[in-house]
Amino acid sequence: MPESLLYYLPLAIEFDQINDNQKDSLKDGRWSERRHFLWVGNRTHNPNDDSLKYLLQILWPSIQAEIPEAELHIVGPNGTESQRQLIAKTKSVVDLGWVDDLPKLMMDYRVNLAPIRFGAGLKGKIMQPLALGLPTVSSAIGAEGLFIETIPELAPAKSADEFIGKSIRLYTDRQYWQQSKTQGVQCMKQHFSLTDTFTGFQENLRAIKNDLDTHRKRHFMGQILQNQSLNVTKYMGRWLTLKNQSISPE
């Protein structure tokens, strides 16, 4: 596929609507007010189901042992019976279920956890908290396409031990938390701003529209496919006409 026929239009964040949150997120005044860890996801989605169970069974016990005063709050619809049973027997875990105003809720937490082990696409459950100034510990799969791999404060954890260690450090190290918070907002705004993303997309479409003949001549295969598509329609129409005549000669 020629590169000139492709345009990358990612999941984007409308920063203008959360300006107040962003301005607040760049300040350090709320460190003392923030508490607990957060996990977010639609719980019937297989990657989320695996992420939650992996967190509860493998990661959270070690985190909780180091920070006994902290709780893990689970947010998201469609919880399963196996999830509820696991939550009930895991220490310091609270199931909040569906939440109407998730962005507002996120501003009350200190760390978001997203140990996603498989799945595709950009992860809104990581992008949204980062954009709102909620430091997030992610996995390599969760971080795909988010441009955070080379930023030390945002880089994904490559092992269970690293995930646990980073979660504990973000929760207990105020300066490190602040750096991660600021870097997260800046990274999301740089790469996923809705205004900037659609401005670039519109400029690309406008350039094609203003020189459409040249654009089409540059892609001869497209002309062939368009021609064949029209021929298919034409001959399908003829076939249907003949078929109808054979069924109802009159």
Side-chain angles (χ1 to χ4, degrees):
M1 179 67 67
E3 187 174 334
S4 55
L5 287 179
L6 299 175
Y7 187 86
Y8 177 57
L9 187 66
L11 181 65
I13 302 166
E14 194 165 2
F15 276 82
D16 291 343
Q17 292 186 358
I18 56 175
N19 264 339
D20 291 340
N21 287 334
Q22 283 188 329
K23 290 176 183 177
D24 178 71
S25 74
L26 295 176
K27 300 175 184 177
D28 196 22
R30 299 202 65 200
W31 160 266
S32 60
E33 300 173 21
R34 293 191 180 218
R35 289 286 187 276
H36 308 314
F37 292 86
L38 180 67
W39 180 96
V40 177
N42 181 343
R43 288 186 260 175
T44 56
H45 187 47
N46 286 338
N48 292 341
D49 176 64
D50 175 80
S51 168
L52 179 57
K53 291 176 178 177
Y54 175 58
L55 174 61
L56 294 175
Q57 294 174 320
I58 305 299
L59 305 173
W60 177 247
S62 296
I63 297 172
Q64 196 277 331
E66 288 293 322
I67 318 173
E69 71 276 11
E71 297 176 354
L72 171 63
H73 291 185
I74 308 301
V75 172
N78 306 318
T80 66
E81 183 58 31
S82 63
Q83 292 170 1
R84 285 189 283 269
Q85 291 178 7
L86 188 55
I87 289 170
K89 68 180 184 181
T90 306
K91 190 175 180 180
S92 301
V93 179
V94 180
D95 188 348
L96 299 182
W98 172 263
V99 173
D100 289 330
D101 192 344
L102 183 57
K104 181 179 179 181
L105 180 78
M106 285 182 172
M107 301 303 292
D108 294 328
Y109 288 88
R110 193 173 289 181
V111 180
N112 179 50
L113 303 177
I116 304 168
R117 297 197 289 181
F118 62 92
L122 298 177
K123 311 300 188 296
K125 64 183 67 65
I126 296 176
M127 295 173 64
Q128 185 180 33
L130 287 177
L132 287 167
L134 173 57
T136 297
V137 185
S138 66
S139 61
I141 293 293
E144 287 179 339
L146 297 184
F147 303 96
I148 64 177
E149 293 88 347
T150 60
I151 303 173
E153 295 84 1
L154 306 179
K158 297 179 181 178
S159 66
D161 288 342
E162 188 177 349
F163 193 100
I164 293 166
K166 192 162 188 176
S167 301
I168 294 170
R169 185 181 178 190
L170 271 175
Y171 198 89
T172 58
D173 188 332
R174 179 172 180 165
Q175 183 177 359
Y176 183 66
W177 179 88
Q178 180 62 48
Q179 292 170 345
S180 177
K181 181 182 180 183
T182 303
Q183 291 282 0
V185 174
Q186 292 176 348
C187 182
M188 292 301 102
K189 191 167 187 178
Q190 178 183 352
H191 296 288
F192 301 105
S193 165
L194 185 65
T195 301
D196 295 343
T197 297
F198 273 88
T199 296
F201 184 51
Q202 289 171 339
E203 289 175 352
N204 184 270
L205 290 179
R206 194 174 295 113
I208 292 174
K209 179 182 177 182
N210 292 338
D211 197 13
L212 192 55
D213 288 341
T214 301
H215 175 78
R216 287 176 173 170
K217 289 177 182 177
R218 190 180 301 124
H219 303 290
F220 182 67
M221 184 57 68
Q223 297 180 55
I224 295 176
L225 293 174
Q226 178 71 10
N227 176 267
Q228 294 304 310
S229 174
L230 293 174
N231 280 331
V232 166
T233 302
K234 180 177 73 174
Y235 288 111
M236 176 63 75
R238 289 184 179 182
W239 179 81
L240 289 172
T241 299
L242 293 172
K243 179 182 178 183
N244 291 336
Q245 287 178 350
S246 66
I247 295 174
S248 304
E250 295 179 359

